[in-house]
Amino acid sequence: MPAEVSISPAAHPRRSCIYRVLQQAGARFAPVNDAAIAVDFGKAVETEVAQASTMGIADLSVLPRTGFKGAGAVEWLTSQGLAIGPDSNRAYPQPGGELAARLAPTEIFLIDGLAGTGELIRRLNAAWSWGSERPRKLIGYPMPRSESHAWFIVTGNQAPAMFAKICGVDLRLHRFAVGAIAQTSVAKMSAIVIRADLGGTPAFHLLADSASAEYLWTCVLDAMAEFDGAPVGWSALRELAGGG
Amino acid sequence: MTGMNRLPAPAGSLLDRSKTIAFQFEGRTYEGFAGDTVASALAANDVWILSRSFKYHRPRGILTMAGLDANTLVQIGDEPNVLADRRAISEGMIVEGQNYSGSLEHDSETWIEMFGRFLPPGFYYKAFYRPKGAWKFWEPFIRNRAGLGKVNTAAHHGYYDKEYLFADVAVIGGGPAGVAAALQAADAGAEVIVVDDGAQLGGSLTYARFDSNGRSGRALAEEAAQAVAARSNIRVLSGAVCTGNFADGWLAVIRGNRMYKLRAKASVIASGALEQPAVFRNNDLPGVMLGSAAQRLIRHYGVRPGREAVVVTANADGYAVAADLVAAGLAVNAIVDLRPDAQPSPHVTAAQQLDLRIITGSAAVEAVPTLGKRGISAALVAALNDDGTADAAAESIPCDLLCMSVGYTSLAHLLHHVGAEFAYNDSTHMYEPASLPAHLFAAGSVAGAHDLDAVVAEGRRAGSAAAHDAGFGAGAEPPAPIERGDRHHTHRWPIFPHKRGRDFVDFDEDLQVKDLVHGAADGYDDIELLKRYTTVGMGPSQGKHSAVAAVRILAKEMGRDLQDMKVTTQRPPFVPEKFGHMAGRVFEPGRRTAMHHRHIELGAKFMPAGLWWRPAYYGKPADRETAIRDEVLGVRNNVGLIDVSTLGGLDVRGPDAAEFLNRMYTFTYTKLAVGRSRYVLMTDQAGAVIDDGVACRFHDEHFYVTATTGGVDGVYRTMLFWNAQWRLNVDVANVTAAYAGVNIAGPRSREVLQKLCTDTDLSPAAFPYLGVRLATVAGVPCRLLRVGFVGELGYEIHMPAHYGEHVWDAIMEAGKPLGIRPFGVEAQRVLRLEKGHIIIGQDTDGLTHPYEADMAWAIAKGKPFFVGQRSIAIQNGKGLTRKLVGFTLTDASAPPPEECHLVVRGADIVGRVTSAVRSPVLGKVVGLAYVAPDQAEPGKSFDIKVGRGRVIQAQVIPIPFFDPENKRQEM
């Protein structure tokens, strides 16, 4: 992005829970979907790509996400064009780059692709309604996942070693496959961990209580320090994922 | 110069002689090499006293040289109780001894030993309490002397952390058995983690003398290390100690400041065995040490352990020690063998060939101390009678080093931790594992094998079995050794009581043979009782060198068979752990609302509400009362804004949503109109009130139900619990964190909100009290609720959390011309109290049922069921024992009573105050209290016992205190 142009997150009504922490770390922001995302931390993209390849963390909290749960949810989503496999604790990639994380037989947490355009999510949120048929057809219920959860992504080949300090699930690459989901405790908090590599770089989505976002970010940064971890921006992630 | 006792290379396998390190001990500077421990560097410099014993302040020095005794506990800077034989020296380190007055060398408290006869075990049960008040005199004196080391409460926090590890097979112990097991398991395909406390793999191979293959232990150790390094599926944690074995293959391992939490499918314990001391007079002094300790000093640290030695032994290992001492330049003046004849062994032959004097059928019965007992000058050696006692006549043999190799006990603690059973083997004189729990295997000397080939063979077998147990390897079991080499290592009675005592069984606790004998005679005749009465095995070493001796002595005193007795239970940790290890990184989860930083900017004083942080009031603590008062008046007279994001929110949706609420709460919801809300009151199965809130109907099948900040998680849980049984067609979602919330309250609140909410008619007719709407506020879609908790016209605005700061800013901006003021939890509590509204958990307790709290109006009549219904009916049928009422004080100038001040009637307690405040608006004290049922009518008086025994009078008055017709909130 252009060197000195950086918008303020407070210029938008919708703000990440940790925008001040990101500002203090030197983040520069650009608009995406009516909010401001940290595109970098003042370093060249190659530097941040290298950082992200070993040990990095980024805040994706302003990117679109949604969820649906309850009887009929998966059938309805399938009818809306999603491809959802049968296993729980598995994330199913969608054609637009979104990930449908099946948390339970009748529960889907849908996160947008890195580009964050949010088309699928907007469409699904708009498509859900109570309907007028009686008896009402059960199609599950929408969940406010964009608000209840903060969304971080932890990247790099040191990520499993770092997670081993704050999470009791074996996240080593040969034990936790791409697409696997752990609903577990990270730094004493309930969290959802989804492995979703960016190109050849190991990457883990970390979704947890939005009210505890500052706490969780601090814990992860502390655990990363041993591996010279640092925050990275959106630009570096998109570079790792293969541009665009 | 790094020490007068330093031996040339290749002695000192752990040293890097290219780096010298200077450190201080007891105020003097010494030099050692990189790789030295504090104890080895001091020994190299001929400093042998490391501590003063706990009770008698006797000088103590190296005993095990393996971190398995408490003689080496020293203070390093702010860190007390560091094992000097494990801690590496570092440049500028400041080390001090512990437990002395004056100096370690010249402890002025050694006089205590003269009064030893007044300090037998258990003396403190029999003294210090008469005459009455005696304890007050003695306590400071005793407390001053108790404890080891100094804690600096202002010390800088260390960085401790934790890490999870996963293995198919964990191998504890990197000696020959452990390495063999690891290689076998790895070759079967398992992921193996080896935990070894040494700086280098090999265990006893690195310090003992081996002759079985004609190769030295060092070469075998190097081979072992290379074989392990060649396998990518073996990870070695060196310098790491496994401190505990817990259920389901969970092992605690400590290295430095990190605790590893290792989960293994199967574990092999190859932790080895520890030599045991012989018991004789003055066996505790510096200069008396285990044979293996002397070997560690020589091979690991290149330190000559003395100048002239006597070796007391009952096995071949003592002869090997003697050979090592000779090779290190000591004069070995005698090998004293407890056995009538030495079993043939290459080590015995070697000693004979060295022309060493060997005295069989004898024992050292006393070590002769040097001046001040800072060392020894000779050993008194006497012949043994057939019954194991020593002859009176003894020969004095000069020595400054007395090595003991009289036997072993297995370091089987990790097996004990998970309930392995042990049995005494009468032919080996040792306790051995008799049965092991599932997924646990043992190999090497911990399981009784001492012959090197047997140890390796059993290691392979254990590794193969463990791998197989973990799901790997289908090959045949490796062969069992022909000869285990389990006998002739441990003497059955290496104990020589002396009539003048100082024959120590437990060095940590300064316990002599007679202390245990007298304890048994006092009636503590079971080892569990004897342990707790005498404290044997209860010191920092936890019985590593005393537990078996104690059982032997007790067996002899009681005429019992060791096979019928057990050592006391071993529990984690195996070696001392710090609280820092257990704590790891101390991060406390904290939840912040979206408006948190705005509150900081406005000068809020925060208070915790569960994990959340909420503004209590805005202002400095010195101005607390004024701030709260002004906030209250700001709401009553104008408009105020409070952040209520923390309040619980649940989306209850589905065809059976109303029915579900009917069952969960006391009221009824089937006929609640869409666009309206109704109070919810939840009771548990015992009929006790547990939470409240409002249910807002946004659709036939959708209720947005609020709950208290502290109660919502429990409410959510109980809803899921009940519906798992009822299977109603309903979905419950805890959306508390998804919605930020504010309550804008006060007569001008509508005026402010109208500026920001243009798509919804806020007029009283269109949006009446208790109505709910979906509306857009400041461009954000919100849930709007008209509520009355504080008794003024007000709206709760629930918005998506990530918009919280924006909406707060917009409201504050819109309200600025009207003088809008933020208010906090304290002001809110006053406001609600002026209306007589209860707070669950403050005005109710764990037993309060709705009738007691005057909430019968919230119970729907005619419902077939709700949780708690039957219990409430039963409680009510029994008649009330107390009732919650509103009150004011008879004396208007008296200060408000505090929460939990008692309501008394004569000598009886009939209730208590739950809330009380001086109302800024009413200008008098109002509150809520439980009183006796016959006091519960307006006009009746009752007494409140406030501080210092004063009793003040209160009067029951009707609720609400303010705006009794509720006109203001229904505007």
Side-chain angles (χ1 to χ4, degrees), chain A residues 15 19 136 164 174 214, chain B residues 164 191 258 592 701 805:
Chain A
R15 296 158 204 175
Y19 80 81
R136 189 175 69 82
H174 64 292
E214 283 187 29
Chain B
Y164 286 93
E191 275 181 0
R258 178 169 288 176
R592 297 174 165 185
E701 293 187 26
E805 197 176 77

Side-chain angles (χ1 to χ4, degrees), chain A residues 10 12-17 19-20 34 61-62 65 69-71 128 130-131 134 136 138 141-144 146-150 161 163-172 174-175 187-189 209-215 218-219 222-223 225-226, chain B residues 159 161-168 191 258 261 265 472 583 585-594 596-598 601 612 651 653-655 698-702 716 729-735 737-739 778 780 800-806 809:
Chain A
H12 295 271
R14 186 178 157 72
R15 296 158 204 175
S16 162
C17 304
Y19 80 81
R20 281 179 181 80
D34 281 344
S61 296
V62 296
R65 54 196 174 283
K69 81 168 171 97
W128 195 93
W130 288 102
R134 292 289 177 267
R136 189 175 69 82
L138 294 178
Y141 304 93
M143 291 288 282
S146 60
E147 309 306 320
S148 55
H149 284 71
F163 271 117
K165 291 160 67 176
I166 54 177
C167 177
V169 173
D170 192 354
L171 296 177
R172 289 176 298 162
H174 64 292
R175 294 284 191 224
K188 299 194 205 173
M189 282 182 53
D209 172 44
S210 53
S212 306
E214 283 187 29
Y215 160 79
T218 309
C219 288
D222 177 80
E226 180 184 352
Chain B
Y159 190 109
D161 67 3
K162 300 187 191 176
E163 184 180 326
Y164 286 93
L165 287 175
F166 305 91
D168 297 318
E191 275 181 0
R258 178 169 288 176
K261 301 183 276 190
K265 297 193 185 119
F472 296 86
R585 299 300 288 136
V586 181
F587 285 121
E588 291 183 31
R591 301 178 86 186
R592 297 174 165 185
T593 72
H596 185 84
H597 291 276
R598 292 294 182 243
E601 288 155 18
W612 292 96
D651 275 330
R653 295 172 287 192
F698 285 107
H699 182 273
D700 275 346
E701 293 187 26
H702 179 196
Y716 177 58
N729 195 341
V730 67
D731 184 271
V732 182
N734 183 348
V735 295
Y739 293 96
V780 178
H802 289 65
Y803 292 90
E805 197 176 77
H806 162 76
D809 288 347

Side-chain angles (χ1 to χ4, degrees), chain A residues 61-124:
Chain A
S61 296
V62 296
L63 293 188
R65 54 196 174 283
T66 188
F68 296 88
K69 81 168 171 97
V74 174
E75 291 77 1
W76 180 73
L77 287 169
T78 306
S79 77
Q80 294 291 321
L82 263 61
I84 298 172
D87 296 329
S88 294
N89 286 316
R90 195 117 229 114
Y92 298 101
Q94 305 303 309
E98 305 89 354
L99 265 185
R102 189 164 197 167
L103 303 184
T106 59
E107 188 169 351
I108 299 289
F109 192 141
L110 185 66
I111 58 178
D112 203 7
L114 266 187
T117 49
E119 277 152 26
L120 174 62
I121 282 146
R122 259 198 304 279
R123 175 166 74 75
L124 290 172

